[in-house]
Amino acid sequence: AQSVAQPEDQVNVAEGNPLTVKCTYSVSGNPYLFWYVQYPNRGLQFLLKYITGDNLVKGSYGFEAEFNKSQTSFHLKKPSALVSDSALYFCAVRDGMDSSYKLIFGSGTRLLVRP
Amino acid sequence: KAGVTQTPRYLIKTRGQQVTLSCSPISGHRSVSWYQQTPGQGLQFLFEYFSETQRNKGNFPGRFSGRQFSNSRSEMNVSTLELGDSALYLCASSLDRGLSTDTQYFGPGTRLTVL
């Protein structure tokens, strides 16, 4: 069964510093991985995805993610954090390779960026 | 292009009642998926519709049902509400071209409170 794990409930970082939100995956076959962000009282916003190809994926709002097959990880990164990046971040994996699929989400990581 | 819209945004119901939530996908998107988000269980897949047919279903009781209309708009219904049904219900749409690069885009959600 496909699964993802987010080992940190919360990540604290100072504004201007680099940030990393961790995600590890367990899949059978090729992994299709996603990152979403959720602001208070909002739905999920798509940030980026890894399907195949380059291990460094660039996404929205300056975020990027590094796919590492040997470590089965897909960590979300940003070189310089902003206070406005404070939100709940979810890693997800696609379950199902045909047209009908669902997303399996991690438990989420709350990012707090202090001024 | 307008995003996924969900109505209503907030609902308060009492136990035993039923509720209907509505979702309008992004224009041109043909697949609609529903997820339930709770603090305890996180994000869980409910079901997915395409071309007015349910293609995939998560592990929820039969009290949870849905449908999709010819214009791809979708509704989900929960009958005989229980306190544990209090959650944020998220709708996601995707193009569904049968490609592995398909991405789900989420609406703002409907916050259901069962008293």
Side-chain angles (χ1 to χ4, degrees):
Chain A
Q2 321 288 62
S3 66
V4 289
Q6 295 180 244
E8 301 159 316
D9 289 337
Q10 184 164 308
V11 170
N12 298 305
V13 64
E15 188 174 31
N17 283 0
L19 70 88
T20 299
V21 182
K22 296 179 180 178
C23 173
T24 59
Y25 66 88
S26 174
V27 303
S28 54
N30 294 321
Y32 295 85
L33 299 160
F34 302 79
W35 275 102
Y36 287 86
V37 61
Q38 186 175 37
Y39 296 97
N41 300 315
R42 303 281 294 276
L44 301 178
Q45 294 182 29
F46 169 72
L47 282 177
L48 51 81
K49 64 185 176 186
Y50 173 83
I51 303 299
T52 187
D54 290 340
N55 290 340
L56 187 63
V57 180
K58 294 191 181 298
S60 306
Y61 314 119
F63 284 94
E64 58 190 25
E66 186 175 9
F67 173 75
N68 187 314
K69 188 173 182 178
S70 63
Q71 297 185 5
T72 62
S73 66
F74 187 55
H75 299 335
L76 181 70
K77 299 174 185 284
K78 188 174 183 182
S80 178
L82 299 173
V83 172
S84 57
D85 292 331
S86 298
L88 190 55
Y89 290 80
F90 290 96
C91 179
V93 63
R94 175 177 170 143
D95 183 15
M97 288 297 114
D98 56 16
S99 294
S100 177
Y101 68 93
K102 61 186 178 186
L103 293 176
I104 306 293
F105 287 89
S107 54
T109 298
R110 188 166 300 280
L111 173 66
L112 290 177
V113 181
R114 59 184 185 275
Chain B
K1 187 180 280 190
V4 178
T5 58
Q6 293 187 245
T7 57
R9 291 293 310 276
Y10 301 91
L11 266 178
I12 299 176
K13 293 286 186 179
T14 57
R15 281 179 297 174
Q17 287 186 310
Q18 74 166 19
V19 67
T20 299
L21 313 181
S22 181
C23 170
S24 292
I26 293 171
S27 178
H29 284 195
R30 304 187 302 168
S31 170
V32 173
S33 298
W34 289 89
Y35 294 82
Q36 181 196 63
Q37 184 179 18
T38 60
Q41 299 299 316
L43 282 153
Q44 294 186 288
F45 171 76
L46 279 157
F47 28 63
E48 184 248 349
Y49 286 87
F50 174 81
S51 192
E52 302 178 63
T53 301
Q54 186 182 91
R55 289 196 304 189
N56 206 348
K57 189 177 189 306
N59 296 322
F60 280 82
R63 300 185 297 107
F64 292 81
S65 62
R67 59 177 175 168
Q68 187 182 35
F69 302 94
S70 58
N71 60 359
S72 294
R73 190 177 70 85
S74 177
E75 290 180 346
M76 68 164 282
N77 184 77
V78 187
S79 62
T80 319
L81 284 166
E82 301 177 359
L83 295 178
D85 297 333
S86 294
L88 182 66
Y89 289 89
L90 293 164
C91 167
S93 75
S94 67
L95 277 170
D96 188 13
R97 295 166 295 180
L99 301 176
S100 60
T101 54
D102 198 53
T103 299
Q104 293 187 1
Y105 295 92
F106 285 78
T110 294
R111 172 75 63 185
L112 172 64
T113 301
V114 181
L115 302 177

